[in-house]
Amino acid sequence: MNLAIVGLQWGDEGKGKIVDYLAKDFDINARYQGGSNAGHTVRFGREKMIFHQVPCGVLNKQVLGIIGGGCVLDPRVILAEIESLKKYDPVIESRVKVSRFCHLIMPYHIKLDEYREGTKQAIGTTRRGIGLAYEDKYGRTGIRLGDLYNTESFGKKLSLNISRKNLVLMDVYNAEPLSDNEIFDRYMGYAGKLRPMVADDTRILGDAISAGKNILFEGAQGAMLDIDFGTYPYVTSSHTISSSVGIGLGIPPYNVESVLGVVKAYTTRVGQGPFPTEDSGQLGALLRDSGAEFGSTTGRPRRCGPFDAALVRYAARINGAREIIMTKLDVLSGIDSLKIATTYEACAEFDPFASGSLVPKYMKVPGFRQDISAARSPEDLPGAARDYLKAVEEHTGLKIAYVSVGPERDAIIRM
Ligand code: GDP
Ligand code: IMO
Ligand code: MG
């Protein structure tokens, strides 16, 4: 069975933990969009690994990890990640394949992202050069991983890009120009190191599908950060929803057989932009403290607020998710009364165009005091926690398939 795991909020729903947990039953784990802006955390025993580029299911030794052409690739980041993974598998490179189609994140993308974020145009990006790299891809001037293996053509493409970017750096931002020789040498160094992982990914996936292998697709970010369907322009620069799987991996859409949405038991967002259930008071601060809500990629404090069922209904619809996994239910323990947004004053469903002015309508359910992090079956949960889950199911119209009650691998309940 092929299954897509997607975030149904603003990212950081706990996709990393879920992918790592589910990957034990899969042969392949493939990322199809995004880049080093993603921060997917996996905790096991005393170990903690934050994945930015590599699919996080690879901690399961039977899994082949694939980074599809829909992703943008920062060679420095992936190589550092591969180094850290060697602790768990000295030959990890043999289980990670990267598409030749991946557009490369170049030093000028990162520099320009940083400069832009210093202006009124800032949207609170991760400053990893993501938007700039996708701009070049769609502007047809980007450099792909496969281009590194034709030195002459790479040199020409790099010079052209650098001359254009230097104009912007110097004229718009009054900054120092970049040197193409230094970048050329650096990327040639990366090319050699990446070589064993560069692959014809669409063929590997096509063959795997024909052989009936199981593929787990790993989404990055969340539906509300989708370039079209999210809270534009406060979004990322790729399609985060399940329709992106096919295009990001070069496989037909009907090979995505099932879609599982990941939601947090409450809502968070990092960076600027609308957030209807944001709580800037006590509750928000409490959730941030108890849930350790600080960005996995940038360390920024995440904005927090109650669960928004109306938003999740929209996100599930555009993703085709009929079931969800709820993470971080343990974080709600100790809150006397729990709020769930069921709809908004002006409209019943989340509307991205109105997202800046939506006023949520809440229902309340009693909270629970018990520590639920040791719960491993639905019966282990207090009645009030089960009632909260029931209310979420009722107001989202989605079945909760799993509930996660702690960051560790085994802190999960099958419902
Ligand atoms: P992702 O980007 O969707 O993979 O999520 P992140 O890794 O950025 O953020 C999720 C954070 O919550 C990480 O620090 C996880 O270790 C942690 N986490 C995941 N599931 C749970 C859970 O059920 N309970 C608690 N307390 N933490 C969790
Ligand atoms: P994971 O995969 C949360 C947010 C940034 C910013 C906007 C655009 O860990 O869930 P970008 O750097 O992509 O140009 O920034 O998107 N953002 C994320 N927020 N989780 C992520 O990834 C994110 N990736 C990007 O904070 O608001
Ligand atoms: Mg994250």
Side-chain angles (χ1 to χ4, degrees):
M1 207 253 304
N2 299 336
L3 170 69
I5 299 296
V6 290
L8 295 187
Q9 293 158 324
W10 275 284
D12 302 329
E13 296 89 351
K15 299 175 294 293
K17 164 175 171 162
I18 299 305
V19 167
D20 167 71
Y21 170 75
L22 294 176
K24 60 184 184 307
D25 298 324
F26 287 83
D27 304 296
I28 292 181
N29 176 201
R31 278 268 311 262
Y32 52 92
Q33 47 75 227
S36 48
N37 48 350
H40 297 176
T41 314
V42 181
R43 288 258 301 260
F44 47 108
R46 290 197 179 159
E47 305 285 320
K48 172 173 159 175
M49 176 83 203
I50 301 177
F51 292 81
H52 300 289
Q53 296 266 193
V54 176
C56 51
V58 297
L59 289 170
N60 296 264
K61 293 256 164 75
Q62 86 292 355
V63 166
L64 177 73
I66 294 183
I67 302 175
C71 298
V72 286
L73 188 80
D74 186 329
R76 188 187 59 82
V77 174
I78 185 178
L79 288 169
E81 222 163 278
I82 291 289
E83 272 316 302
S84 343
L85 283 166
K86 283 190 179 157
K87 181 172 162 197
Y88 310 112
D89 180 359
V91 290
I92 184 72
E93 278 125 320
S94 62
R95 289 195 295 114
V96 177
K97 300 291 166 210
V98 192
S99 173
R100 298 169 299 166
F101 294 112
C102 283
H103 276 254
L104 295 175
I105 298 176
M106 305 297 292
Y108 43 81
H109 293 138
I110 297 172
K111 266 231 143 41
L112 287 167
D113 197 353
E114 277 166 3
Y115 278 116
R116 250 190 222 174
E117 283 296 298
T119 70
K120 280 194 196 134
Q121 266 186 300
I123 62 161
T125 72
T126 58
R127 301 188 179 212
R128 295 294 187 112
I130 304 298
L132 282 294
Y134 278 112
E135 273 175 36
D136 280 356
K137 166 173 171 162
Y138 289 103
R140 294 168 293 187
T141 56
I143 301 178
R144 298 185 288 181
L145 178 58
D147 294 328
L148 291 183
Y149 303 99
N150 181 337
T151 318
E152 197 186 324
S153 127
F154 170 61
K156 280 191 193 146
K157 286 182 182 175
L158 182 65
S159 296
L160 181 68
N161 272 285
I162 298 233
S163 59
R164 288 178 179 173
K165 305 301 183 202
N166 275 347
L167 286 180
V168 182
L169 279 170
M170 291 187 295
D171 294 353
V172 180
Y173 299 111
N174 215 2
E176 290 293 312
L178 293 165
S179 133
D180 41 349
N181 286 342
E182 191 275 318
I183 297 176
F184 180 87
D185 291 344
R186 199 181 337 155
Y187 275 67
M188 281 295 103
Y190 293 148
K193 291 188 179 138
L194 289 168
R195 181 101 227 186
M197 294 186 281
V198 181
D200 186 354
D201 59 317
T202 63
R203 179 170 293 280
I204 297 174
L205 284 164
D207 290 349
I209 289 165
S210 305
K213 298 222 163 138
N214 297 322
I215 308 171
L216 184 62
F217 306 111
E218 175 179 347
Q221 291 84 48
M224 293 300 129
L225 291 170
D226 183 276
I227 182 75
D228 275 330
F229 304 104
T231 49
Y232 191 89
Y234 298 98
V235 291
T236 191
S237 293
S238 64
H239 284 289
T240 60
I241 62 171
S242 60
S243 305
S244 185
V245 173
I247 204 73
L249 292 167
I251 60 168
Y254 54 76
N255 284 140
V256 183
E257 293 162 332
S258 189
V259 180
L260 200 47
V262 186
V263 297
K264 244 177 227 181
Y266 44 97
T267 317
T268 64
R269 163 161 218 176
V270 60
Q272 275 117 274
F275 178 177
T277 64
E278 179 169 17
D279 187 306
S280 322
Q282 248 181 341
L283 176 66
L286 184 82
L287 291 169
R288 185 160 42 252
D289 281 354
S290 318
E293 294 296 351
F294 296 89
S296 313
T297 299
T298 59
R300 289 176 292 173
R302 295 176 182 146
R303 299 153 64 192
C304 301
F307 187 81
D308 189 341
L311 176 141
V312 169
R313 284 201 298 274
Y314 167 74
R317 176 163 63 77
I318 59 177
N319 271 291
R322 294 196 192 93
E323 294 195 344
I324 51 177
I325 298 188
M326 177 177 275
T327 62
K328 301 191 112 165
L329 185 64
D330 54 304
V331 174
L332 297 185
S333 148
I335 300 174
D336 286 336
S337 171
L338 299 168
K339 289 202 295 189
I340 296 174
T342 56
T343 176
Y344 308 103
E345 297 287 352
C347 50
E349 207 193 47
F350 183 81
D351 176 0
F353 278 89
S355 56
S357 59
L358 291 175
V359 180
K361 288 190 190 172
Y362 291 102
M363 57 118 28
K364 284 188 179 171
V365 291
F368 51 94
R369 297 228 139 257
Q370 297 89 325
D371 174 359
I372 59 165
S373 55
R376 293 294 177 268
S377 76
E379 298 71 44
D380 296 339
L381 291 173
R386 289 210 295 265
D387 288 346
Y388 182 74
L389 298 177
K390 251 188 244 150
V392 167
E393 285 190 330
E394 187 186 329
H395 291 284
T396 57
L398 302 163
K399 184 183 172 341
I400 300 179
Y402 294 88
V403 172
S404 169
V405 291
E408 299 79 21
R409 212 173 242 171
D410 66 337
I412 195 156
I413 303 172
R414 181 159 206 157
M415 301 302 288

